[in-house]
Amino acid sequence: TRRGYPEAVLGEGKSVDQLVAIATALRDRGAQGGGSAQTILFTRVDPDRAQAVCRVLPDAEHDPLARMVAWPGTVPEPAGEQVLVLCAGTADIPVAREAWLTARYLGRPADLVVDVGVAGLHRVLARVPAIRAAGAVVVVAGMDGALASVVAGLTAAPVVGVPTSVGYGAAFAGLAPLLSMLNACAPGVSVVNIDNGYGAGHLAAQITAPRG
Amino acid sequence: TRRGYPEAVLGEGKSVDQLVAIATALRDRGAQGGGSAQTILFTRVDPDRAQAVCRVLPDAEHDPLARMVAWPGTVPEPAGEQVLVLCAGTADIPVAREAWLTARYLGRPADLVVDVGVAGLHRVLARVPAIRAAGAVVVVAGMDGALASVVAGLTAAPVVGVPTSVGYGAAFAGLAPLLSMLNACAPGVSVVNIDNGYGAGHLAAQITAPRG
Amino acid sequence: TRRGYPEAVLGEGKSVDQLVAIATALRDRGAQGGGSAQTILFTRVDPDRAQAVCRVLPDAEHDPLARMVAWPGTVPEPAGEQVLVLCAGTADIPVAREAWLTARYLGRPADLVVDVGVAGLHRVLARVPAIRAAGAVVVVAGMDGALASVVAGLTAAPVVGVPTSVGYGAAFAGLAPLLSMLNACAPGVSVVNIDNGYGAGHLAAQITAPRG
Amino acid sequence: TRRGYPEAVLGEGKSVDQLVAIATALRDRGAQGGGSAQTILFTRVDPDRAQAVCRVLPDAEHDPLARMVAWPGTVPEPAGEQVLVLCAGTADIPVAREAWLTARYLGRPADLVVDVGVAGLHRVLARVPAIRAAGAVVVVAGMDGALASVVAGLTAAPVVGVPTSVGYGAAFAGLAPLLSMLNACAPGVSVVNIDNGYGAGHLAAQITAPRG
Amino acid sequence: TRRGYPEAVLGEGKSVDQLVAIATALRDRGAQGGGSAQTILFTRVDPDRAQAVCRVLPDAEHDPLARMVAWPGTVPEPAGEQVLVLCAGTADIPVAREAWLTARYLGRPADLVVDVGVAGLHRVLARVPAIRAAGAVVVVAGMDGALASVVAGLTAAPVVGVPTSVGYGAAFAGLAPLLSMLNACAPGVSVVNIDNGYGAGHLAAQITAPRG
Amino acid sequence: TRRGYPEAVLGEGKSVDQLVAIATALRDRGAQGGGSAQTILFTRVDPDRAQAVCRVLPDAEHDPLARMVAWPGTVPEPAGEQVLVLCAGTADIPVAREAWLTARYLGRPADLVVDVGVAGLHRVLARVPAIRAAGAVVVVAGMDGALASVVAGLTAAPVVGVPTSVGYGAAFAGLAPLLSMLNACAPGVSVVNIDNGYGAGHLAAQITAPRG
Amino acid sequence: TRRGYPEAVLGEGKSVDQLVAIATALRDRGAQGGGSAQTILFTRVDPDRAQAVCRVLPDAEHDPLARMVAWPGTVPEPAGEQVLVLCAGTADIPVAREAWLTARYLGRPADLVVDVGVAGLHRVLARVPAIRAAGAVVVVAGMDGALASVVAGLTAAPVVGVPTSVGYGAAFAGLAPLLSMLNACAPGVSVVNIDNGYGAGHLAAQITAPRG
Amino acid sequence: TRRGYPEAVLGEGKSVDQLVAIATALRDRGAQGGGSAQTILFTRVDPDRAQAVCRVLPDAEHDPLARMVAWPGTVPEPAGEQVLVLCAGTADIPVAREAWLTARYLGRPADLVVDVGVAGLHRVLARVPAIRAAGAVVVVAGMDGALASVVAGLTAAPVVGVPTSVGYGAAFAGLAPLLSMLNACAPGVSVVNIDNGYGAGHLAAQITAPRG
Ligand SMILES: Nc1ncnc2c1ncn2[C@@H]1O[C@H](COP(=O)(O)O)[C@@H](O)[C@H]1O
Ligand SMILES: Nc1ncnc2c1ncn2[C@@H]1O[C@H](COP(=O)(O)O)[C@@H](O)[C@H]1O
Ligand SMILES: Nc1ncnc2c1ncn2[C@@H]1O[C@H](COP(=O)(O)O)[C@@H](O)[C@H]1O
Ligand SMILES: Nc1ncnc2c1ncn2[C@@H]1O[C@H](COP(=O)(O)O)[C@@H](O)[C@H]1O
Ligand SMILES: [Mg+2]
Ligand SMILES: [Mg+2]
Ligand SMILES: [Mg+2]
Ligand SMILES: [Mg+2]
Ligand SMILES: [Mg+2]
Ligand SMILES: [Mg+2]
Ligand SMILES: [Mg+2]
Ligand SMILES: [Mg+2]
């Protein structure tokens, strides 16, 4: 483990065989008492890869929408400040859910809200109490990425922006919201890689970690 | 005149001498009755160029902030629907003012509001009545360009987005708000060239023109 | 509905199941009198998704070329000014047709003309009367995007440019016509996202809406 | 103040006159008891602008290297967790110092270390205790931006990456370190705009703020 | 000489001293009978550099608008087919004139027409006879670069497109017309570097060279 | 026909049905004496599309490597100057062959040479006589695109560069040779779109056309 | 052979038939004594292509991970200085292995180490002796590409950086590590094309070649 | 010193005062016997900065063309293999000379040849013996960068490509030759940053270093 946080295995770019080998090694290490139920996250795993991993690690949990497998599957008892993950719509859900699950497997209390977009300001405004209650807000948005600026203007807590590749044409596979978020006109926004829900959830969990 | 609208002379990229020659030709054409007080706009003229033009055309009006000279300087009696120009701050004013003056010289009633930005939503919300009263809204914004999406969600009128080169770093001289506005998550937004206040004001005046 | 206009559901990036769920919810909302035949547009839906939606909403209309489903399928009685959609050739038809249908479902009288390209100026010139009769012209063009500039020079009405991803090589999936249209040398052109026929049709309908 | 934090005025893109007007308004507001010594930061101000501001606000403090003026100039008593700002060399100092001063004016204990670069790993390793003691680390780096990844691998605290425009050629004015940091191979890194020391210091102060 | 054509010396990026040294060497070579009045073109020379060259080569001719010095200054007797250089406006004149002079110094009959732009189609149409009479047409255009497509549709002769850096914002210093011309929807267009009037004039002269 | 040259139908982006409809219309027009054996070129047609076209037009000729169908299939008697098409290797053949066939169907004598690349200069040098004999040289090259500069230095005839999408990584689908050719350090090179063999062959045929 | 080194045939972009024809020609040339067991490398060959080549050349060796076929398959006796190939993880292995095999088939002693990444500095530090023993180090890295800078700071030998297309989002298919490595803050790094393991191994073998 | 090589101080981005402070510290360190005449290179120093450094270090040598100061100024006795630096013309000289001086101050025998460009192949061919005699060749080229591929095809020694920002328009400040060189169609080429003569000379010296 990297200084107390779960290890993560990036599923994308690995073959089923390679993932099975990794899962087997982890299982064997665990069996030898090499680690006391330290959580492992397999990220960006498609259904085939996920099922292959789960066959090796039967007590793992698979979230198909988030394309994530966690082993062991039990979510730890939450501690630290609240993490809030926000996104506008259906197409952003995989990334948002990956952020939300990561924060929870890293031990934070975390909520996921999917129905907020700047084109319907009233829906953003309805969430202001939740936004202000969080110790860190993850904003997942494609296309114009405008939600990050709006949310950062509503809270004193750090906002982690995750641009997504949702959109077409001049969205340029996430470049548009990436640049938009990097230029957020409210301070308090920082940005992770396009579609990097895992990284955002991890960072939010670090920000909200219980203090000594 | 192009189908009834004022002619414009782009000052940038022309020498003082060239502009003086153009102004002289226009004055002489006017003196010969070649045009009945048809307005001419000189855009993107720095102070030196503006003063040289005004020496030739003493009844011209120079707006240094907008870097514009209009000849003759009289604003026509407004007709058609209201144009509203919005921007967030000081650095966007030259472009916003260029849009606002263009719309007025093309004969529209037009307002300019400078204190709205998505980082302070209450200031946007305070302008909702004005936004909803306009027949076209010009949104001038640099950096994240998020204001265009927010405003388009608040009105049924067309929104003309003008990305500006305001900002630094990953704003990439207007690329960030350009892409952001092209991907506005509310329908009803279209975009003109970076810093093209003239084009936006012109288009807004066309949209709000009195109908036969 | 957003201020009187039909709602749109972006089909791309949603699974068949998700679209069926949305369609079912809309049907149930309608059955409960939640909306009086307010039109819903499903955009960018491939044949599978379209048919799944139509099974839930049998009185919907599917236009395969435009990749659009409208529910209910009846086009409203047209009102407001004329919308004209122009494109050069076969490959631009899906986007052009999406713009044309959107304008019609938003209640405008609208025409679609497919045989105009700047390489054959006589064909453009043959359309001048139609171009001048329209309250808004949507120009759909890939590759050099030159048609937008040419058309804007022929009319006092606003021109909405839709760059398309048609072309190859240095067209860079629509970047070439996008930049070309943003730099149109005639005023009166604004631009929406690459391939965004829906957005262009929507905007044209807003521009030509009947006035109070 | 935005929810308890100092206001900031971006000096770049404003004229001396505009800054003097802003400073005067702030001074008058203060004189009327409108704010109890709430700090104001003027960022990215060149020497001329800084001196003009200081003439209006004599109790302001000017840091020429950071191109910052703070009013009033007194640094608040530090509270919350430690902020550590790291950079490799001379050319990054303005940005690093801007981050460091911002964190201090926002009330955090903060250190600035200038002599660490991945080309001399021993110098990084010598700083591991300081890195591990911080509640947030700001890494300021141009060129390859590699320091962010290395530091994130050494601490469980969040790392805020600030790519700088230092370098030439294929550094593309900060694009190289921006992309590098967005792809940091260790989790725990997020990124702000190129050269945005203010934003990074602000975010670090938010992350390390004292908890209720 | 490269296979019979004049040599060219690119003035940009060379110091006054370096150009004087080159001019002196050329003069001395000529004095020694090393070349029988073979023309030399100095391109992209600012006034200072041009005057320095002309002091060494008094029988040279300097065209300040084209930023070109030719030595000896006499234009050769024209032979071969006609070259026509077209551009839309004032700001493109330096590049257009460089193309025109190059073609003439390479021995072609050549015309320069400055008042054609696609926003005013009648002005293009008025030039159709001249366009059809030319053996090669050089089209110099910034911004949307649309003129190249339009002209290529009007003639069977090759069209050499020269995108210029005229424009601002999303013209991206000539990228917009470059891409536009590379995607010209009429066959018969090829493109040279942005602002490369010399290269275009040279190529047009090669295309129209007298045949053995 | 466009001023005497064959019409071309771009196969890419059209369905089999659309191509069959076009072929049928052309056949019927021909049957009605609407055109006296005017050649039609179908470009970028995959095998399925090509065969469908040939079923409608049995006297057409299909070149699978060039992905081209010509109707009628007979190559006209050559006239005008020689066209030479050069490329380095196997992967460039489709584009090179498309250029070569186009030039021949437009009525030029044309040769295709495939084994020349700048990494083996002796192979280029062995072709110098052929290069110098041609009235226009088409250079087809991916990756570094260096062949265009080398060839232009060897001949006084115009060189038409066709960058190809051959290569990987930083070739960026043809961007590398496109930029390289636009910056050819020898004059006499102009460039067409990436992979545009048709356009290059067409242009070469225009350049070498018999003169009145 | 190019000056003593094995020839390489780039498999990508060639059909199975074309590769079989090349392999057959090479075999026949060998059978005629045309070459004394000079090695040939087929690079970037997928399994189908590899097997087709091996059927023609039964004494060839296929490395599926490296996507390489070598004929004859025997690795030559190593001579010259040691080559060390380093990469961080599973997804970089194909490229790293291609570099390693190329160096070995070119006659160098070469090692491949896969478990080093800057996020775990101890693993880099554990390899310092091996790094310092090598005459050239090939660093294969995607994402942030930071390993090249770190390694170059640890050795006086040349470092050949190979950016890989491993990663997603703002890795932009290898652009991020390409730019990062080009801006390596330690001297001694040069870069080859994205994913070009063959080129890197070839260059490392040239650098470490035995000296006369 | 980094493992035996001279230290370098990048002059660009440092003030005169900062450079004087560095020079003074180095002089004092030397006076204290802290280094036995270890060479220091100041790179990219303009005349003012160079002279300020030389006033502190009178035994330094300033090369204004290369924008370099070396201290002490004595070039060491050459050892190792020959380095050859090639470039095409006047504008590339500063970068080429920086590479050449760096190699010499690092202790290699080095030659600089300035008159070779691919547009005049005979001049390249005249240099083949010198190219083949070198242990490493540095190719400095702007615009099309084609020289690197050509040279790499002529020698078995490593070629270090240095793209330069020489050129205009679509050279995009060195991007064109950078991409061209990264895609060199001959193996044996690797690339350093645009205009990085220092890095190329350093690397060439490492490649040609005497072996134990
Ligand atoms: N600020 C501006 N931005 C973009 N286009 C402009 C601007 N000002 C004028 N124009 C256009 O440029 C044309 C005049 O160009 P010119 O003949 O060079 O003065 C006018 O007809 C306008 O269409
Ligand atoms: N083809 C389209 N292109 C761009 N935006 C669209 C398109 N279709 C629908 N939209 C927008 O996307 C919103 C619906 O998104 P969603 O909730 O994901 O279905 C609508 O309110 C529209 O504003
Ligand atoms: N304006 C120009 N644009 C592009 N290439 C040019 C230009 N002027 C001269 N050249 C080319 O640059 C070469 C001379 O370069 P130089 O030796 O640097 O003077 C000539 O042979 C021309 O091929
Ligand atoms: N994987 C590779 N990446 C880059 N260049 C390669 C690769 N494999 C072979 N080459 C080069 O491509 C040339 C062969 O190309 P071809 O004739 O198309 O097989 C060889 O001489 C090598 O220089
Ligand atoms: Mg905030
Ligand atoms: Mg709206
Ligand atoms: Mg118009
Ligand atoms: Mg960490
Ligand atoms: Mg033509
Ligand atoms: Mg030539
Ligand atoms: Mg090193
Ligand atoms: Mg070589």
Side-chain angles (χ1 to χ4, degrees), chain D residues 119 143-144 146 149 153 170-171 180 183 185, chain G residues 119 143-144 146 149 153 170-171 176 180 183 185:
Chain D
M143 296 163 74
D144 59 19
S149 294
S180 173
N183 286 283
C185 53
Chain G
M143 296 163 74
D144 59 21
S149 293
S180 172
N183 288 282
C185 53

Side-chain angles (χ1 to χ4, degrees), chain H residues 47-202:
Chain H
D48 283 1
R49 284 171 173 73
Q51 281 152 28
V53 168
C54 289
R55 272 191 294 274
V56 180
L57 305 168
D59 51 335
E61 197 69 37
H62 176 209
D63 188 285
L65 270 182
R67 301 150 307 151
M68 188 184 279
V69 171
W71 177 73
T74 339
V75 173
E77 195 59 30
E81 310 242 314
Q82 179 78 17
V83 169
L84 178 65
V85 179
L86 296 176
C87 78
T90 312
D92 295 320
I93 288 180
V95 175
R97 208 170 161 87
E98 185 187 24
W100 173 65
L101 281 179
T102 300
R104 289 177 64 217
Y105 277 109
L106 268 73
R108 280 326 140 255
D111 277 329
L112 172 63
V113 173
V114 176
D115 61 345
V116 286
V118 300
L121 267 196
H122 53 285
R123 279 182 296 190
V124 178
L125 297 175
R127 299 296 178 171
V128 168
I131 291 169
R132 295 216 165 130
V137 184
V138 174
V139 172
V140 178
M143 297 164 73
D144 59 20
L147 189 60
S149 293
V150 168
V151 170
L154 294 168
T155 176
V159 171
V160 181
V162 192
T164 68
S165 55
V166 167
Y168 58 86
F172 291 129
L175 182 65
L178 170 62
L179 295 184
S180 173
M181 289 178 177
L182 284 167
N183 287 283
C185 54
V189 179
S190 64
V191 188
V192 298
N193 194 7
I194 296 164
D195 290 334
N196 190 3
Y198 162 71
H202 196 288

Side-chain angles (χ1 to χ4, degrees), chain C residues 63-132:
Chain C
D63 188 286
L65 269 182
R67 300 151 309 152
M68 188 184 279
V69 171
W71 176 75
T74 337
V75 173
E77 196 59 31
E81 311 242 314
Q82 178 78 18
V83 170
L84 178 64
V85 179
L86 295 176
C87 76
T90 312
D92 294 320
I93 288 179
V95 175
R97 208 169 161 87
E98 185 187 25
W100 174 65
L101 281 179
T102 300
R104 290 177 63 217
Y105 278 109
L106 268 73
R108 281 326 139 255
D111 277 330
L112 172 63
V113 174
V114 177
D115 62 345
V116 286
V118 300
L121 267 195
H122 52 286
R123 281 182 294 191
V124 179
L125 297 175
R127 300 294 179 172
V128 168
I131 290 169
R132 294 215 166 132

Side-chain angles (χ1 to χ4, degrees), chain F residues 143 168, chain G residues 8-10 14 43-44 98 196 198, chain H residues 185-187:
Chain F
M143 296 164 73
Y168 58 85
Chain G
V9 176
L10 177 59
K14 298 202 174 74
T43 66
R44 298 176 80 98
E98 185 187 24
N196 190 2
Y198 162 72
Chain H
C185 54

Side-chain angles (χ1 to χ4, degrees), chain F:
Chain F
T1 76
R2 210 183 48 85
R3 318 216 54 221
Y5 288 114
E7 267 180 81
V9 177
L10 175 60
E12 204 175 61
K14 298 205 173 73
S15 66
V16 170
D17 286 358
Q18 288 173 325
L19 285 171
V20 163
I22 292 170
T24 305
L26 290 166
R27 187 193 55 193
D28 295 350
R29 188 176 74 180
Q32 291 156 18
S36 50
Q38 170 69 43
T39 309
I40 308 284
L41 301 178
F42 294 81
T43 65
R44 297 176 80 96
V45 276
D46 60 23
D48 283 1
R49 283 172 174 73
Q51 282 152 25
V53 167
C54 289
R55 271 192 295 274
V56 180
L57 304 168
D59 52 336
E61 198 69 37
H62 176 211
D63 187 286
L65 270 182
R67 300 151 307 153
M68 188 184 278
V69 171
W71 176 75
T74 337
V75 173
E77 196 58 30
E81 310 242 314
Q82 178 79 17
V83 170
L84 178 64
V85 179
L86 295 176
C87 77
T90 311
D92 295 320
I93 288 179
V95 175
R97 207 169 162 88
E98 185 187 23
W100 173 65
L101 281 179
T102 300
R104 289 176 64 216
Y105 276 110
L106 267 74
R108 285 317 146 260
D111 277 329
L112 172 62
V113 173
V114 177
D115 61 345
V116 286
V118 301
L121 267 195
H122 52 286
R123 282 182 294 191
V124 179
L125 297 176
R127 299 294 178 173
V128 167
I131 290 169
R132 295 213 167 134
V137 185
V138 175
V139 172
V140 178
M143 296 164 73
D144 58 20
L147 190 59
S149 293
V150 168
V151 169
L154 294 168
T155 176
V159 172
V160 181
V162 192
T164 69
S165 56
V166 166
Y168 58 85
F172 292 129
L175 182 65
L178 170 63
L179 295 185
S180 172
M181 289 178 177
L182 284 168
N183 287 283
C185 54
V189 180
S190 65
V191 188
V192 297
N193 194 8
I194 296 164
D195 291 334
N196 189 4
Y198 162 72
H202 196 289
L203 186 63
Q206 290 172 282
I207 292 170
T208 55
R211 288 192 184 154

Side-chain angles (χ1 to χ4, degrees), chain D residues 56-211:
Chain D
V56 180
L57 304 167
D59 51 335
E61 198 69 36
H62 176 210
D63 188 286
L65 270 182
R67 302 150 307 153
M68 188 185 277
V69 170
W71 176 73
T74 339
V75 174
E77 196 59 31
E81 310 242 315
Q82 179 78 18
V83 169
L84 178 65
V85 180
L86 295 177
C87 77
T90 312
D92 294 320
I93 288 179
V95 176
R97 207 169 162 89
E98 185 187 25
W100 173 66
L101 281 178
T102 300
R104 289 176 63 215
Y105 277 110
L106 267 73
R108 286 318 145 258
D111 276 330
L112 172 62
V113 174
V114 177
D115 61 345
V116 287
V118 300
L121 268 195
H122 52 285
R123 281 182 294 191
V124 179
L125 297 175
R127 300 295 179 171
V128 168
I131 290 169
R132 295 216 166 129
V137 184
V138 175
V139 172
V140 179
M143 296 163 74
D144 59 19
L147 190 60
S149 294
V150 168
V151 169
L154 294 167
T155 176
V159 171
V160 180
V162 192
T164 69
S165 55
V166 167
Y168 58 86
F172 292 129
L175 182 66
L178 170 63
L179 295 185
S180 173
M181 289 178 176
L182 284 168
N183 286 283
C185 53
V189 179
S190 65
V191 187
V192 298
N193 194 9
I194 297 164
D195 291 335
N196 189 4
Y198 162 72
H202 195 289
L203 186 63
Q206 291 173 282
I207 292 171
T208 55
R211 289 195 183 152

